[in-house]
Amino acid sequence: MNNILCIYSRFWLRHLVFMGAGAMGEIKHLVVVKFKEGVVVEEIIKGMEKLVSEVDLVKSFEWGQDTEGHEMLTQGFTHSFAMTFDKKEDYAAFQSHPNHVEYSATFSAAIEKIVVLCFPCVRVKPTG
Amino acid sequence: MNNILCIYSRFWLRHLVFMGAGAMGEIKHLVVVKFKEGVVVEEIIKGMEKLVSEVDLVKSFEWGQDTEGHEMLTQGFTHSFAMTFDKKEDYAAFQSHPNHVEYSATFSAAIEKIVVLCFPCVRVKPTG
C-alpha cells in the first residue's frame, strides 16, 4: 500500500513539474555565441552572472562552454547561455531592465556571431 | 520552529541541486536546428520524445520552438532541444545506443542546418 502511495505521489509530483514547465508558460531565452578573438570571455561571463543574480525576474540561469569542439557540429559557436522566466511578461520586463540594457552593450561588442531563440519550454523529462 | 526547519531544508535541497549540476559534472547536449521545408516537425519531435523516454541514460529533456521570430537573432533556426546526462560516460553511451543511432538517421534527413554544443553545465541559479 505504501508503494502504491509512493508511486502515486511521484506521478503527481512529476505531473506538477511538467505542468509547471508547460501549462504555466515558463519561457526560455537561449543564446548561443562565438566571441571575437581577444575578448576576455571570463569577464563577460562574470558580468552575466552578476546581472542574473541582481535581477529577480530571471528564475534560473545556466551556461556552458563546448568541450567536444567538432567544427562541423558547433559551426564555430563555443558558448551557450540559457535563462528561464516564469512568464512572458517577466522576460519582457527583463529585456528593458536598465541593468540588462547596460550589460547588452558590453555583450554585443564582444560577440562575433550569435543565435538567439526564445520559446515556451516543453519539459518531457523533469530536471533536477 | 517548523518554519525554520522548512527554510533550512529548502536551503539544503537547493544546495544539493546546485552541487548536482556543477560539482558532479552534469553534461548538457544542446541542439539548435532549422528543419527542411515540407518536414512534418511534429513527427520528428514525437520520435525524439519516444527516444528519450525509452533511454534511461537521458536524465532530462526539454525542447522549444522559437516564438519571437526575429530573423536577425534566430539566423533562421527555429527549434532547440536540450538533453542532460549525469556524466560524460552516459552521454557517450547514449551516442552509440542503437535507438539513438536509428533515430539519428531520421533526424539528420530532416534538418537544413544545425548547431550542436556539448558542455559541462554551470548552473548559476537553480532550476525547478
Side-chain angles (χ1 to χ4, degrees), chain A residues 97-111:
Chain A
H97 191 288
N99 294 26
H100 178 256
V101 173
E102 189 188 339
Y103 177 76
S104 288
T106 312
F107 188 73
S108 301
I111 55 173

Side-chain angles (χ1 to χ4, degrees), chain B residues 25-100:
Chain B
E26 195 175 77
I27 298 292
K28 190 145 275 191
H29 175 57
L30 175 71
V31 179
V32 177
V33 299
K34 177 186 184 180
F35 290 104
K36 285 179 186 162
E37 266 195 58
V39 163
V40 184
V41 177
E42 292 73 18
E43 287 299 313
I44 300 293
I45 293 172
K46 208 181 286 179
M48 202 183 293
E49 290 186 343
K50 186 171 173 287
L51 171 68
V52 299
S53 302
E54 284 168 356
V55 183
D56 287 342
L57 293 161
V58 183
K59 187 184 172 190
S60 74
F61 172 59
E62 54 186 40
W63 68 272
Q65 177 174 6
D66 179 73
T67 52
E68 299 292 303
H70 303 300
E71 180 75 21
M72 204 187 71
L73 292 174
T74 65
Q75 305 291 323
F77 290 99
T78 56
H79 289 74
S80 161
F81 304 95
M83 294 180 195
T84 312
F85 299 85
D86 271 332
K87 53 188 187 297
K88 210 167 172 158
E89 292 75 12
D90 288 358
Y91 172 62
F94 174 70
Q95 291 295 98
S96 56
H97 192 288
N99 294 27
H100 178 256

Side-chain angles (χ1 to χ4, degrees), chain A residues 28 52 58 62 73 116 125, chain B residues 28 58 62 73 116 125:
Chain A
K28 190 146 274 190
V52 299
V58 182
E62 54 185 41
L73 292 174
V116 183
K125 273 190 175 182
Chain B
K28 190 145 275 191
V58 183
E62 54 186 40
L73 292 174
V116 182
K125 275 190 174 182

Side-chain angles (χ1 to χ4, degrees), chain B residues 1-35:
Chain B
M1 184 61 187
N2 268 351
N3 270 353
I4 293 171
L5 271 178
C6 182
I7 290 165
Y8 185 75
S9 33
R10 276 169 64 191
F11 167 79
W12 276 105
L13 190 61
R14 285 197 165 210
H15 188 66
L16 282 171
V17 168
F18 184 80
M19 292 294 286
M24 288 169 67
E26 195 175 77
I27 298 292
K28 190 145 275 191
H29 175 57
L30 175 71
V31 179
V32 177
V33 299
K34 177 186 184 180
F35 290 104

